[in-house]
Amino acid sequence: MTALIPDYLALSQQIEQLLVRQNLRGMAALKPHLRPGYILRAARLINQCRGTVLIGTGFPVLDTFETDGPVGAIALYQLLTQLGAKPVIVCGDPLYSALKADYQCYQITVNQYEALPAIASAALAELQPQLVISIERPGFNAQQRYANMRGEDISARCASFDYFLTQAPCPTIGIGDGGNEIGMGNLLQAVSALNITPAVTECDELIVADVSNWAAWGLAAMVSLLRNENLLSDADPLEILQYLSAKGSVDGVTRLNTLTEDGLTHTEGLQLIDDLCSLLREPQ
């Protein structure tokens, strides 16, 4: 009896829907503008990587960093390590100093605007990535500046990751939840309708989610389906939040040092992981 081949596209679309079901900041309105199967295409890129994968993250809030982005970056780091790849988290201070003892990191310096293309070019030549992922990193707006969800110019506190994607000699993935992140340039016209200063930087595959961190769990679920193994069995967003909180993270919405993501308790992320695991258990 021939085994049935899973309908990966249908499963991808189920995950894509789960990631925007709360529609906290308009991402459900952006999803129809993306070609269906973006989770599947991104997961295939991740699944085939055995070399270096750059994961850019870190959104400055006040004088520290927010929980949304680094949690997902660490989750992707753990996933890629399980797959035998060599992940490197690319970020600026203070996040770089917070992570460098426990993770392979590459530091990008804050506020070096004149030299950005050359900095990225040298880094890409040195690191030679097979894949570049941006998760919740500020993207350039039309004025080549960075703005937060409140429309405030945060360029002075931002390290820049845009050129790592635009100059990358390999595939690129962008993950965002609001419209001002790297990759949102793929949907510039649609994002312009939202109440945000849109980012113009593009990527090969854009993933939208209610909380950017959650896209990492969605990708882990899709890779699990491709490999027929559960790579979410050890998923623990609370443990990662506790780790980051001890190092001074804040919630990007409330700006408080709490075990939350964009104003949501960690149990919201756990519920998503449970629902993704249910997908893995269903007969394909």
Side-chain angles (χ1 to χ4, degrees), residues 144-182:
Q144 296 284 288
R145 305 289 291 175
Y146 295 113
N148 64 15
M149 64 191 295
R150 296 166 174 82
E152 300 161 347
D153 189 318
I154 55 170
S155 305
R157 290 182 283 115
C158 259
S160 180
F161 193 59
D162 300 69
Y163 288 103
F164 279 75
L165 278 80
T166 57
Q167 296 183 169
C170 60
T172 60
I173 298 169
I175 298 168
D177 60 15
N180 56 344
E181 304 91 0
I182 286 174

PDB file of all heavy atoms in Angstrom, residues 144-182:
ATOM      1  N   GLN A 144      15.107  56.361   4.527  1.00  0.00           N
ATOM      2  CA  GLN A 144      16.301  55.645   4.995  1.00  0.00           C
ATOM      3  C   GLN A 144      16.537  55.866   6.491  1.00  0.00           C
ATOM      4  O   GLN A 144      17.672  55.989   6.966  1.00  0.00           O
ATOM      5  CB  GLN A 144      17.547  56.068   4.191  1.00  0.00           C
ATOM      6  CG  GLN A 144      17.484  55.713   2.714  1.00  0.00           C
ATOM      7  CD  GLN A 144      17.728  54.219   2.468  1.00  0.00           C
ATOM      8  OE1 GLN A 144      18.826  53.715   2.588  1.00  0.00           O
ATOM      9  NE2 GLN A 144      16.653  53.496   2.132  1.00  0.00           N
ATOM     10  N   ARG A 145      15.442  55.914   7.235  1.00  0.00           N
ATOM     11  CA  ARG A 145      15.483  56.032   8.690  1.00  0.00           C
ATOM     12  C   ARG A 145      14.681  54.874   9.286  1.00  0.00           C
ATOM     13  O   ARG A 145      13.988  54.141   8.572  1.00  0.00           O
ATOM     14  CB  ARG A 145      14.878  57.368   9.152  1.00  0.00           C
ATOM     15  CG  ARG A 145      15.502  58.604   8.528  1.00  0.00           C
ATOM     16  CD  ARG A 145      16.895  58.886   9.027  1.00  0.00           C
ATOM     17  NE  ARG A 145      16.905  59.318  10.425  1.00  0.00           N
ATOM     18  CZ  ARG A 145      18.036  59.533  11.116  1.00  0.00           C
ATOM     19  NH1 ARG A 145      19.208  59.323  10.551  1.00  0.00           N
ATOM     20  NH2 ARG A 145      17.980  59.932  12.382  1.00  0.00           N
ATOM     21  N   TYR A 146      14.771  54.747  10.607  1.00  0.00           N
ATOM     22  CA  TYR A 146      14.029  53.708  11.300  1.00  0.00           C
ATOM     23  C   TYR A 146      12.981  54.342  12.209  1.00  0.00           C
ATOM     24  O   TYR A 146      13.276  55.308  12.917  1.00  0.00           O
ATOM     25  CB  TYR A 146      14.967  52.848  12.155  1.00  0.00           C
ATOM     26  CG  TYR A 146      15.958  52.052  11.340  1.00  0.00           C
ATOM     27  CD1 TYR A 146      17.321  52.337  11.395  1.00  0.00           C
ATOM     28  CD2 TYR A 146      15.533  51.022  10.511  1.00  0.00           C
ATOM     29  CE1 TYR A 146      18.236  51.604  10.657  1.00  0.00           C
ATOM     30  CE2 TYR A 146      16.433  50.288   9.756  1.00  0.00           C
ATOM     31  CZ  TYR A 146      17.789  50.583   9.831  1.00  0.00           C
ATOM     32  OH  TYR A 146      18.692  49.863   9.091  1.00  0.00           O
ATOM     33  N   ALA A 147      11.767  53.789  12.193  1.00  0.00           N
ATOM     34  CA  ALA A 147      10.686  54.295  13.041  1.00  0.00           C
ATOM     35  C   ALA A 147      10.064  53.134  13.812  1.00  0.00           C
ATOM     36  O   ALA A 147       9.934  52.031  13.283  1.00  0.00           O
ATOM     37  CB  ALA A 147       9.618  54.981  12.196  1.00  0.00           C
ATOM     38  N   ASN A 148       9.670  53.398  15.061  1.00  0.00           N
ATOM     39  CA  ASN A 148       9.010  52.357  15.837  1.00  0.00           C
ATOM     40  C   ASN A 148       7.500  52.390  15.605  1.00  0.00           C
ATOM     41  O   ASN A 148       7.008  53.161  14.772  1.00  0.00           O
ATOM     42  CB  ASN A 148       9.362  52.463  17.333  1.00  0.00           C
ATOM     43  CG  ASN A 148       8.869  53.758  17.975  1.00  0.00           C
ATOM     44  OD1 ASN A 148       8.037  54.467  17.429  1.00  0.00           O
ATOM     45  ND2 ASN A 148       9.395  54.058  19.149  1.00  0.00           N
ATOM     46  N   MET A 149       6.756  51.561  16.344  1.00  0.00           N
ATOM     47  CA  MET A 149       5.316  51.448  16.112  1.00  0.00           C
ATOM     48  C   MET A 149       4.580  52.741  16.460  1.00  0.00           C
ATOM     49  O   MET A 149       3.464  52.966  16.002  1.00  0.00           O
ATOM     50  CB  MET A 149       4.741  50.286  16.922  1.00  0.00           C
ATOM     51  CG  MET A 149       4.844  50.443  18.419  1.00  0.00           C
ATOM     52  SD  MET A 149       4.438  48.931  19.340  1.00  0.00           S
ATOM     53  CE  MET A 149       2.713  48.729  18.935  1.00  0.00           C
ATOM     54  N   ARG A 150       5.237  53.602  17.240  1.00  0.00           N
ATOM     55  CA  ARG A 150       4.638  54.885  17.592  1.00  0.00           C
ATOM     56  C   ARG A 150       5.003  55.989  16.600  1.00  0.00           C
ATOM     57  O   ARG A 150       4.608  57.140  16.760  1.00  0.00           O
ATOM     58  CB  ARG A 150       5.088  55.291  19.000  1.00  0.00           C
ATOM     59  CG  ARG A 150       4.615  54.352  20.100  1.00  0.00           C
ATOM     60  CD  ARG A 150       5.360  54.608  21.413  1.00  0.00           C
ATOM     61  NE  ARG A 150       4.823  53.810  22.511  1.00  0.00           N
ATOM     62  CZ  ARG A 150       5.135  52.533  22.749  1.00  0.00           C
ATOM     63  NH1 ARG A 150       6.002  51.909  21.949  1.00  0.00           N
ATOM     64  NH2 ARG A 150       4.603  51.885  23.766  1.00  0.00           N
ATOM     65  N   GLY A 151       5.793  55.638  15.594  1.00  0.00           N
ATOM     66  CA  GLY A 151       6.215  56.616  14.600  1.00  0.00           C
ATOM     67  C   GLY A 151       7.434  57.412  15.019  1.00  0.00           C
ATOM     68  O   GLY A 151       7.866  58.321  14.294  1.00  0.00           O
ATOM     69  N   GLU A 152       8.006  57.085  16.171  1.00  0.00           N
ATOM     70  CA  GLU A 152       9.194  57.792  16.665  1.00  0.00           C
ATOM     71  C   GLU A 152      10.421  57.355  15.873  1.00  0.00           C
ATOM     72  O   GLU A 152      10.584  56.172  15.556  1.00  0.00           O
ATOM     73  CB  GLU A 152       9.405  57.492  18.152  1.00  0.00           C
ATOM     74  CG  GLU A 152       8.250  57.908  19.048  1.00  0.00           C
ATOM     75  CD  GLU A 152       8.255  57.223  20.405  1.00  0.00           C
ATOM     76  OE1 GLU A 152       9.004  56.242  20.580  1.00  0.00           O
ATOM     77  OE2 GLU A 152       7.485  57.675  21.282  1.00  0.00           O
ATOM     78  N   ASP A 153      11.298  58.301  15.544  1.00  0.00           N
ATOM     79  CA  ASP A 153      12.546  57.995  14.843  1.00  0.00           C
ATOM     80  C   ASP A 153      13.527  57.388  15.849  1.00  0.00           C
ATOM     81  O   ASP A 153      13.940  58.045  16.796  1.00  0.00           O
ATOM     82  CB  ASP A 153      13.129  59.262  14.223  1.00  0.00           C
ATOM     83  CG  ASP A 153      14.307  58.968  13.287  1.00  0.00           C
ATOM     84  OD1 ASP A 153      15.155  58.121  13.648  1.00  0.00           O
ATOM     85  OD2 ASP A 153      14.392  59.583  12.216  1.00  0.00           O
ATOM     86  N   ILE A 154      13.883  56.121  15.641  1.00  0.00           N
ATOM     87  CA  ILE A 154      14.786  55.428  16.563  1.00  0.00           C
ATOM     88  C   ILE A 154      16.134  55.135  15.902  1.00  0.00           C
ATOM     89  O   ILE A 154      16.905  54.294  16.379  1.00  0.00           O
ATOM     90  CB  ILE A 154      14.152  54.113  17.075  1.00  0.00           C
ATOM     91  CG1 ILE A 154      13.723  53.224  15.894  1.00  0.00           C
ATOM     92  CG2 ILE A 154      12.965  54.401  17.993  1.00  0.00           C
ATOM     93  CD1 ILE A 154      13.305  51.819  16.305  1.00  0.00           C
ATOM     94  N   SER A 155      16.427  55.855  14.823  1.00  0.00           N
ATOM     95  CA  SER A 155      17.641  55.586  14.051  1.00  0.00           C
ATOM     96  C   SER A 155      18.908  55.683  14.896  1.00  0.00           C
ATOM     97  O   SER A 155      19.853  54.904  14.715  1.00  0.00           O
ATOM     98  CB  SER A 155      17.741  56.556  12.874  1.00  0.00           C
ATOM     99  OG  SER A 155      16.574  56.494  12.072  1.00  0.00           O
ATOM    100  N   ALA A 156      18.947  56.629  15.828  1.00  0.00           N
ATOM    101  CA  ALA A 156      20.157  56.852  16.629  1.00  0.00           C
ATOM    102  C   ALA A 156      20.495  55.642  17.500  1.00  0.00           C
ATOM    103  O   ALA A 156      21.646  55.475  17.903  1.00  0.00           O
ATOM    104  CB  ALA A 156      19.988  58.094  17.503  1.00  0.00           C
ATOM    105  N   ARG A 157      19.498  54.797  17.787  1.00  0.00           N
ATOM    106  CA  ARG A 157      19.733  53.633  18.647  1.00  0.00           C
ATOM    107  C   ARG A 157      19.691  52.323  17.873  1.00  0.00           C
ATOM    108  O   ARG A 157      19.728  51.246  18.468  1.00  0.00           O
ATOM    109  CB  ARG A 157      18.698  53.609  19.785  1.00  0.00           C
ATOM    110  CG  ARG A 157      18.909  54.704  20.804  1.00  0.00           C
ATOM    111  CD  ARG A 157      17.900  54.647  21.948  1.00  0.00           C
ATOM    112  NE  ARG A 157      16.592  55.176  21.548  1.00  0.00           N
ATOM    113  CZ  ARG A 157      15.487  54.451  21.476  1.00  0.00           C
ATOM    114  NH1 ARG A 157      15.514  53.175  21.752  1.00  0.00           N
ATOM    115  NH2 ARG A 157      14.343  55.009  21.120  1.00  0.00           N
ATOM    116  N   CYS A 158      19.623  52.412  16.532  1.00  0.00           N
ATOM    117  CA  CYS A 158      19.457  51.218  15.708  1.00  0.00           C
ATOM    118  C   CYS A 158      20.755  50.797  15.033  1.00  0.00           C
ATOM    119  O   CYS A 158      21.390  51.601  14.355  1.00  0.00           O
ATOM    120  CB  CYS A 158      18.428  51.484  14.604  1.00  0.00           C
ATOM    121  SG  CYS A 158      16.823  50.804  14.958  1.00  0.00           S
ATOM    122  N   ALA A 159      21.102  49.539  15.213  1.00  0.00           N
ATOM    123  CA  ALA A 159      22.059  48.934  14.304  1.00  0.00           C
ATOM    124  C   ALA A 159      21.281  48.554  13.040  1.00  0.00           C
ATOM    125  O   ALA A 159      20.071  48.392  13.085  1.00  0.00           O
ATOM    126  CB  ALA A 159      22.692  47.705  14.941  1.00  0.00           C
ATOM    127  N   SER A 160      21.979  48.440  11.926  1.00  0.00           N
ATOM    128  CA  SER A 160      21.285  48.223  10.652  1.00  0.00           C
ATOM    129  C   SER A 160      21.573  46.836  10.084  1.00  0.00           C
ATOM    130  O   SER A 160      22.730  46.411   9.996  1.00  0.00           O
ATOM    131  CB  SER A 160      21.740  49.289   9.641  1.00  0.00           C
ATOM    132  OG  SER A 160      21.086  49.089   8.415  1.00  0.00           O
ATOM    133  N   PHE A 161      20.511  46.150   9.679  1.00  0.00           N
ATOM    134  CA  PHE A 161      20.628  44.797   9.114  1.00  0.00           C
ATOM    135  C   PHE A 161      20.133  44.737   7.670  1.00  0.00           C
ATOM    136  O   PHE A 161      20.260  43.713   7.010  1.00  0.00           O
ATOM    137  CB  PHE A 161      19.843  43.820   9.996  1.00  0.00           C
ATOM    138  CG  PHE A 161      20.111  42.360   9.737  1.00  0.00           C
ATOM    139  CD1 PHE A 161      21.390  41.830   9.860  1.00  0.00           C
ATOM    140  CD2 PHE A 161      19.082  41.494   9.385  1.00  0.00           C
ATOM    141  CE1 PHE A 161      21.638  40.475   9.628  1.00  0.00           C
ATOM    142  CE2 PHE A 161      19.308  40.144   9.161  1.00  0.00           C
ATOM    143  CZ  PHE A 161      20.596  39.632   9.286  1.00  0.00           C
ATOM    144  N   ASP A 162      19.583  45.852   7.177  1.00  0.00           N
ATOM    145  CA  ASP A 162      18.944  45.853   5.852  1.00  0.00           C
ATOM    146  C   ASP A 162      19.863  45.354   4.747  1.00  0.00           C
ATOM    147  O   ASP A 162      19.466  44.519   3.919  1.00  0.00           O
ATOM    148  CB  ASP A 162      18.459  47.259   5.502  1.00  0.00           C
ATOM    149  CG  ASP A 162      17.445  47.792   6.480  1.00  0.00           C
ATOM    150  OD1 ASP A 162      17.821  48.068   7.638  1.00  0.00           O
ATOM    151  OD2 ASP A 162      16.283  47.952   6.100  1.00  0.00           O
ATOM    152  N   TYR A 163      21.087  45.860   4.709  1.00  0.00           N
ATOM    153  CA  TYR A 163      21.992  45.505   3.615  1.00  0.00           C
ATOM    154  C   TYR A 163      22.448  44.046   3.678  1.00  0.00           C
ATOM    155  O   TYR A 163      22.900  43.491   2.680  1.00  0.00           O
ATOM    156  CB  TYR A 163      23.194  46.448   3.582  1.00  0.00           C
ATOM    157  CG  TYR A 163      22.855  47.841   3.104  1.00  0.00           C
ATOM    158  CD1 TYR A 163      22.734  48.900   3.999  1.00  0.00           C
ATOM    159  CD2 TYR A 163      22.639  48.093   1.749  1.00  0.00           C
ATOM    160  CE1 TYR A 163      22.412  50.181   3.555  1.00  0.00           C
ATOM    161  CE2 TYR A 163      22.314  49.365   1.301  1.00  0.00           C
ATOM    162  CZ  TYR A 163      22.201  50.407   2.213  1.00  0.00           C
ATOM    163  OH  TYR A 163      21.877  51.669   1.769  1.00  0.00           O
ATOM    164  N   PHE A 164      22.326  43.424   4.850  1.00  0.00           N
ATOM    165  CA  PHE A 164      22.640  41.998   4.946  1.00  0.00           C
ATOM    166  C   PHE A 164      21.673  41.193   4.068  1.00  0.00           C
ATOM    167  O   PHE A 164      22.033  40.145   3.538  1.00  0.00           O
ATOM    168  CB  PHE A 164      22.541  41.525   6.397  1.00  0.00           C
ATOM    169  CG  PHE A 164      23.747  41.832   7.229  1.00  0.00           C
ATOM    170  CD1 PHE A 164      23.979  43.127   7.682  1.00  0.00           C
ATOM    171  CD2 PHE A 164      24.657  40.842   7.575  1.00  0.00           C
ATOM    172  CE1 PHE A 164      25.087  43.416   8.467  1.00  0.00           C
ATOM    173  CE2 PHE A 164      25.774  41.125   8.360  1.00  0.00           C
ATOM    174  CZ  PHE A 164      25.989  42.421   8.804  1.00  0.00           C
ATOM    175  N   LEU A 165      20.437  41.687   3.934  1.00  0.00           N
ATOM    176  CA  LEU A 165      19.461  41.008   3.084  1.00  0.00           C
ATOM    177  C   LEU A 165      19.577  41.457   1.637  1.00  0.00           C
ATOM    178  O   LEU A 165      19.583  40.631   0.725  1.00  0.00           O
ATOM    179  CB  LEU A 165      18.029  41.239   3.587  1.00  0.00           C
ATOM    180  CG  LEU A 165      17.585  40.312   4.725  1.00  0.00           C
ATOM    181  CD1 LEU A 165      18.115  40.795   6.066  1.00  0.00           C
ATOM    182  CD2 LEU A 165      16.085  40.145   4.759  1.00  0.00           C
ATOM    183  N   THR A 166      19.676  42.758   1.416  1.00  0.00           N
ATOM    184  CA  THR A 166      19.647  43.258   0.036  1.00  0.00           C
ATOM    185  C   THR A 166      20.918  42.893  -0.730  1.00  0.00           C
ATOM    186  O   THR A 166      20.898  42.817  -1.954  1.00  0.00           O
ATOM    187  CB  THR A 166      19.423  44.776   0.001  1.00  0.00           C
ATOM    188  OG1 THR A 166      20.446  45.435   0.761  1.00  0.00           O
ATOM    189  CG2 THR A 166      18.063  45.144   0.589  1.00  0.00           C
ATOM    190  N   GLN A 167      22.013  42.642  -0.023  1.00  0.00           N
ATOM    191  CA  GLN A 167      23.268  42.256  -0.675  1.00  0.00           C
ATOM    192  C   GLN A 167      23.579  40.768  -0.529  1.00  0.00           C
ATOM    193  O   GLN A 167      24.611  40.299  -1.029  1.00  0.00           O
ATOM    194  CB  GLN A 167      24.437  43.070  -0.084  1.00  0.00           C
ATOM    195  CG  GLN A 167      24.343  44.560  -0.348  1.00  0.00           C
ATOM    196  CD  GLN A 167      25.538  45.359   0.175  1.00  0.00           C
ATOM    197  OE1 GLN A 167      25.699  46.523  -0.141  1.00  0.00           O
ATOM    198  NE2 GLN A 167      26.381  44.735   0.973  1.00  0.00           N
ATOM    199  N   ALA A 168      22.714  40.030   0.133  1.00  0.00           N
ATOM    200  CA  ALA A 168      22.994  38.611   0.400  1.00  0.00           C
ATOM    201  C   ALA A 168      23.094  37.813  -0.898  1.00  0.00           C
ATOM    202  O   ALA A 168      22.247  37.966  -1.787  1.00  0.00           O
ATOM    203  CB  ALA A 168      21.909  38.021   1.285  1.00  0.00           C
ATOM    204  N   PRO A 169      24.101  36.934  -1.014  1.00  0.00           N
ATOM    205  CA  PRO A 169      24.228  36.077  -2.193  1.00  0.00           C
ATOM    206  C   PRO A 169      23.426  34.787  -2.049  1.00  0.00           C
ATOM    207  O   PRO A 169      23.633  33.835  -2.797  1.00  0.00           O
ATOM    208  CB  PRO A 169      25.732  35.784  -2.223  1.00  0.00           C
ATOM    209  CG  PRO A 169      26.123  35.772  -0.774  1.00  0.00           C
ATOM    210  CD  PRO A 169      25.223  36.766  -0.082  1.00  0.00           C
ATOM    211  N   CYS A 170      22.506  34.764  -1.070  1.00  0.00           N
ATOM    212  CA  CYS A 170      21.747  33.553  -0.749  1.00  0.00           C
ATOM    213  C   CYS A 170      20.291  33.942  -0.497  1.00  0.00           C
ATOM    214  O   CYS A 170      19.960  35.136  -0.462  1.00  0.00           O
ATOM    215  CB  CYS A 170      22.343  32.898   0.510  1.00  0.00           C
ATOM    216  SG  CYS A 170      22.306  33.979   1.961  1.00  0.00           S
ATOM    217  N   PRO A 171      19.404  32.976  -0.306  1.00  0.00           N
ATOM    218  CA  PRO A 171      17.997  33.312  -0.024  1.00  0.00           C
ATOM    219  C   PRO A 171      17.840  34.086   1.289  1.00  0.00           C
ATOM    220  O   PRO A 171      18.655  33.955   2.209  1.00  0.00           O
ATOM    221  CB  PRO A 171      17.318  31.944   0.071  1.00  0.00           C
ATOM    222  CG  PRO A 171      18.212  31.010  -0.667  1.00  0.00           C
ATOM    223  CD  PRO A 171      19.598  31.517  -0.455  1.00  0.00           C
ATOM    224  N   THR A 172      16.766  34.880   1.360  1.00  0.00           N
ATOM    225  CA  THR A 172      16.505  35.692   2.550  1.00  0.00           C
ATOM    226  C   THR A 172      15.051  35.527   2.995  1.00  0.00           C
ATOM    227  O   THR A 172      14.148  35.400   2.171  1.00  0.00           O
ATOM    228  CB  THR A 172      16.771  37.183   2.276  1.00  0.00           C
ATOM    229  OG1 THR A 172      15.920  37.635   1.211  1.00  0.00           O
ATOM    230  CG2 THR A 172      18.226  37.422   1.893  1.00  0.00           C
ATOM    231  N   ILE A 173      14.847  35.542   4.318  1.00  0.00           N
ATOM    232  CA  ILE A 173      13.516  35.441   4.916  1.00  0.00           C
ATOM    233  C   ILE A 173      13.323  36.631   5.838  1.00  0.00           C
ATOM    234  O   ILE A 173      14.207  36.944   6.647  1.00  0.00           O
ATOM    235  CB  ILE A 173      13.372  34.132   5.734  1.00  0.00           C
ATOM    236  CG1 ILE A 173      13.522  32.898   4.830  1.00  0.00           C
ATOM    237  CG2 ILE A 173      12.022  34.097   6.464  1.00  0.00           C
ATOM    238  CD1 ILE A 173      13.653  31.583   5.616  1.00  0.00           C
ATOM    239  N   GLY A 174      12.181  37.295   5.739  1.00  0.00           N
ATOM    240  CA  GLY A 174      11.850  38.393   6.641  1.00  0.00           C
ATOM    241  C   GLY A 174      10.606  38.044   7.440  1.00  0.00           C
ATOM    242  O   GLY A 174       9.644  37.482   6.902  1.00  0.00           O
ATOM    243  N   ILE A 175      10.623  38.369   8.731  1.00  0.00           N
ATOM    244  CA  ILE A 175       9.492  38.089   9.619  1.00  0.00           C
ATOM    245  C   ILE A 175       9.104  39.379  10.324  1.00  0.00           C
ATOM    246  O   ILE A 175       9.964  40.064  10.893  1.00  0.00           O
ATOM    247  CB  ILE A 175       9.856  37.015  10.673  1.00  0.00           C
ATOM    248  CG1 ILE A 175      10.201  35.687   9.989  1.00  0.00           C
ATOM    249  CG2 ILE A 175       8.711  36.836  11.678  1.00  0.00           C
ATOM    250  CD1 ILE A 175      10.850  34.664  10.910  1.00  0.00           C
ATOM    251  N   GLY A 176       7.802  39.713  10.299  1.00  0.00           N
ATOM    252  CA  GLY A 176       7.345  40.926  10.969  1.00  0.00           C
ATOM    253  C   GLY A 176       5.896  40.833  11.399  1.00  0.00           C
ATOM    254  O   GLY A 176       5.151  39.944  10.967  1.00  0.00           O
ATOM    255  N   ASP A 177       5.512  41.777  12.261  1.00  0.00           N
ATOM    256  CA  ASP A 177       4.144  41.752  12.783  1.00  0.00           C
ATOM    257  C   ASP A 177       3.460  43.121  12.765  1.00  0.00           C
ATOM    258  O   ASP A 177       2.368  43.265  13.301  1.00  0.00           O
ATOM    259  CB  ASP A 177       4.125  41.201  14.215  1.00  0.00           C
ATOM    260  CG  ASP A 177       4.951  42.036  15.193  1.00  0.00           C
ATOM    261  OD1 ASP A 177       5.311  43.186  14.864  1.00  0.00           O
ATOM    262  OD2 ASP A 177       5.235  41.537  16.301  1.00  0.00           O
ATOM    263  N   GLY A 178       4.111  44.110  12.139  1.00  0.00           N
ATOM    264  CA  GLY A 178       3.503  45.440  12.189  1.00  0.00           C
ATOM    265  C   GLY A 178       3.577  46.235  10.899  1.00  0.00           C
ATOM    266  O   GLY A 178       2.688  47.025  10.600  1.00  0.00           O
ATOM    267  N   GLY A 179       4.645  46.043  10.126  1.00  0.00           N
ATOM    268  CA  GLY A 179       4.793  46.774   8.878  1.00  0.00           C
ATOM    269  C   GLY A 179       6.055  47.610   8.786  1.00  0.00           C
ATOM    270  O   GLY A 179       6.413  48.082   7.710  1.00  0.00           O
ATOM    271  N   ASN A 180       6.751  47.783   9.926  1.00  0.00           N
ATOM    272  CA  ASN A 180       7.973  48.586   9.916  1.00  0.00           C
ATOM    273  C   ASN A 180       9.226  47.725  10.008  1.00  0.00           C
ATOM    274  O   ASN A 180      10.312  48.220  10.303  1.00  0.00           O
ATOM    275  CB  ASN A 180       7.958  49.611  11.068  1.00  0.00           C
ATOM    276  CG  ASN A 180       7.770  48.973  12.436  1.00  0.00           C
ATOM    277  OD1 ASN A 180       7.367  47.813  12.545  1.00  0.00           O
ATOM    278  ND2 ASN A 180       8.050  49.725  13.484  1.00  0.00           N
ATOM    279  N   GLU A 181       9.072  46.416   9.725  1.00  0.00           N
ATOM    280  CA  GLU A 181      10.207  45.501   9.829  1.00  0.00           C
ATOM    281  C   GLU A 181      10.809  45.187   8.457  1.00  0.00           C
ATOM    282  O   GLU A 181      10.153  45.297   7.428  1.00  0.00           O
ATOM    283  CB  GLU A 181       9.768  44.185  10.486  1.00  0.00           C
ATOM    284  CG  GLU A 181       9.129  44.345  11.857  1.00  0.00           C
ATOM    285  CD  GLU A 181       7.613  44.515  11.807  1.00  0.00           C
ATOM    286  OE1 GLU A 181       7.053  44.513  10.684  1.00  0.00           O
ATOM    287  OE2 GLU A 181       6.995  44.640  12.880  1.00  0.00           O
ATOM    288  N   ILE A 182      12.069  44.758   8.473  1.00  0.00           N
ATOM    289  CA  ILE A 182      12.732  44.295   7.258  1.00  0.00           C
ATOM    290  C   ILE A 182      11.882  43.221   6.587  1.00  0.00           C
ATOM    291  O   ILE A 182      11.405  42.295   7.249  1.00  0.00           O
ATOM    292  CB  ILE A 182      14.131  43.746   7.584  1.00  0.00           C
ATOM    293  CG1 ILE A 182      15.112  44.896   7.910  1.00  0.00           C
ATOM    294  CG2 ILE A 182      14.673  42.891   6.447  1.00  0.00           C
ATOM    295  CD1 ILE A 182      16.475  44.428   8.376  1.00  0.00           C
TER     296      ILE A 182
END
